[in-house]
Amino acid sequence: MRLFHATAKTRAIFDDDHVIAYGGLASAMRLAERCDLDGLVGEHVALASPDSVNASAKVASIVAGMMCGADSIDDLDVLRHGGMDKIFDGIRAPSTLGSFLRAFTWGNVRQLDKTARLLLVALAGHTPLLPGADVLTFLDVDSMQRRTYGYAKQGSGFGHTKIGGKSLLVRGLNVLAATVSTPLAAPLICGTRLRGGKANSARGAASFVAESITAARQTGAGGTLVLRGDSAFYSADVIGACRERDTRFSITAKMDPKTKAAIAGIDETGWTPITYPNAVFDDQAGGWISDADIAEVDYTAFTSKKGQVVTARLIVRRVRRLNKKSSHLVSRR
């Protein structure tokens, strides 16, 4: 079978007044309605601008557009095609939604953050989001650089990010994100914080972790809660926020002289060999590995910070280098 018309002369037009392109949107927005998205926005989001009129309807339109795949203001026009206006009311034009978003201040963004957390809590009351959370829950935090286009984008700046496995310097915004999951449940975003493009990962991390822990607990994480993060979150403030809230942590330690000394002090008999069921790629080793050695030792961190000293297990992994010119072992945490 072949197409009758050439590609350049073929167009797909969605203009039927009785059909909608996104059938699942009705169920999702009904759930948002049950969780009182409109009421939460009306209670917690207050903009000092004429563009803030009907904020609840505008936020709902943006959320619906994003669920339909919109990733820009112009894309929000997907809500005004076909029979959308026959099953949804309060749909706003992209230009109106753009003016609304541009009126947001930092304080308004924080209000919207709180609304998102409360909506997640309400959603957990309607659906089994985190099965097994009464036993074990993971809270993962990370930072990422998101590229922006145009020199007038507020807050954008140059930062490092990985694209296609390569570290590149791009103009964008820096985002802190937290997800909550269990061994039986897929990750759910429970917290985000948008920052300037030049912000490092540790900036505001402690308060962000505290908020994310609270959100995870309110969402149903009543059992053991474990925070996981990379070395960017290796700080006394972040770990202090975990300990104050009865949260365990698994954070990559920075390889400083003190850490190296602790690793060097591990007796050779203290290493336990492990074998991976499937080979994993190791960046430092420069290839795939299928076995390694692990060990643990008590380690006291942040001794220079009064009242913030932490003693915990330092878990170390070492793999043999694949470089034929070097036969010694390298350590990873």
Side-chain angles (χ1 to χ4, degrees):
M1 182 177 68
R2 300 178 62 186
L3 290 173
F4 184 75
H5 298 286
T7 303
K9 297 181 180 180
T10 303
R11 290 190 304 160
I13 301 175
F14 182 72
D15 57 1
D16 192 307
D17 293 338
H18 303 286
V19 179
I20 61 173
Y22 307 96
L25 185 61
S27 299
M29 294 310 294
R30 186 179 297 279
L31 185 58
E33 190 176 78
R34 289 178 179 175
C35 294
D36 196 24
L37 173 60
D38 288 352
L40 291 173
V41 173
E43 180 180 356
H44 299 288
V45 180
L47 281 72
S49 167
D51 295 310
S52 65
V53 177
N54 294 323
S56 297
K58 293 174 182 176
V59 169
S61 293
I62 294 170
V63 170
M66 293 173 65
M67 285 192 290
C68 292
D71 61 1
S72 68
I73 292 175
D74 288 341
D75 288 348
L76 294 173
D77 203 34
V78 298
L79 300 177
R80 302 198 298 168
H81 289 286
M84 286 288 198
D85 60 346
K86 290 181 171 59
I87 60 172
F88 299 110
D89 64 358
I91 295 176
R92 297 297 188 268
S95 58
T96 301
L97 299 176
S99 299
F100 173 66
L101 290 174
R102 294 185 188 97
F104 270 60
T105 64
W106 166 250
N108 298 137
V109 174
R110 297 291 290 134
Q111 293 171 350
L112 201 58
D113 288 341
K114 182 177 181 180
T115 301
R117 291 195 300 271
L118 293 176
L119 181 66
L120 181 63
V121 174
L123 184 60
H126 285 79
T127 59
L129 295 178
L130 294 171
D134 56 332
V135 178
L136 175 64
T137 307
F138 298 111
L139 180 64
D140 295 284
V141 294
D142 201 0
S143 66
M144 60 199 77
Q145 188 82 1
R146 283 293 174 258
R147 178 175 283 184
T148 59
Y149 301 90
Y151 293 100
K153 178 68 71 172
Q154 184 180 18
S156 65
F158 284 100
H160 287 278
T161 188
K162 281 190 176 182
I163 300 178
K166 297 181 179 179
S167 181
L168 301 175
L169 189 66
V170 300
R171 176 184 288 275
L173 297 171
N174 192 285
V175 181
L176 277 177
T179 62
V180 59
S181 63
T182 73
L184 303 175
L188 296 169
I189 297 175
C190 66
T192 58
R193 184 174 296 181
L194 188 63
R195 303 162 321 154
K198 296 181 180 179
N200 58 51
S201 299
R203 179 179 171 184
S207 61
F208 177 72
V209 165
E211 288 181 358
S212 300
I213 292 174
T214 300
R217 292 296 189 191
Q218 292 176 338
T219 307
T224 300
L225 181 61
V226 181
L227 176 85
R228 302 187 295 192
D230 59 25
S231 60
F233 300 94
Y234 179 72
S235 73
D237 292 336
V238 169
I239 294 177
C242 293
R243 299 179 74 188
E244 290 172 3
R245 291 162 180 80
D246 190 26
T247 300
R248 300 185 182 184
F249 53 87
S250 176
I251 299 176
T252 303
K254 295 179 179 178
M255 187 66 88
D256 55 25
K258 186 178 178 181
T259 306
K260 292 180 181 178
I263 295 174
I266 300 176
D267 189 85
E268 192 61 30
T269 60
W271 294 93
T272 301
I274 59 173
T275 301
Y276 296 103
N278 299 306
V280 295
F281 189 83
D282 188 281
D283 293 331
Q284 290 188 0
W288 295 89
I289 61 172
S290 57
D291 52 22
D293 295 327
I294 60 170
E296 68 173 68
V297 62
D298 288 340
Y299 181 75
T300 301
F302 315 120
T303 54
S304 63
K305 297 182 179 295
K306 186 176 180 180
Q308 294 181 294
V309 177
V310 177
T311 299
R313 296 184 303 160
L314 178 65
I315 301 175
V316 187
R317 185 192 68 163
R318 67 180 186 181
V319 298
R320 188 172 298 278
R321 288 190 177 181
L322 301 180
N323 188 341
K324 295 182 180 179
K325 297 181 180 179
S326 177
S327 60
H328 66 280
L329 300 174
V330 293
S331 297
R332 296 287 303 279
R333 296 164 310 289

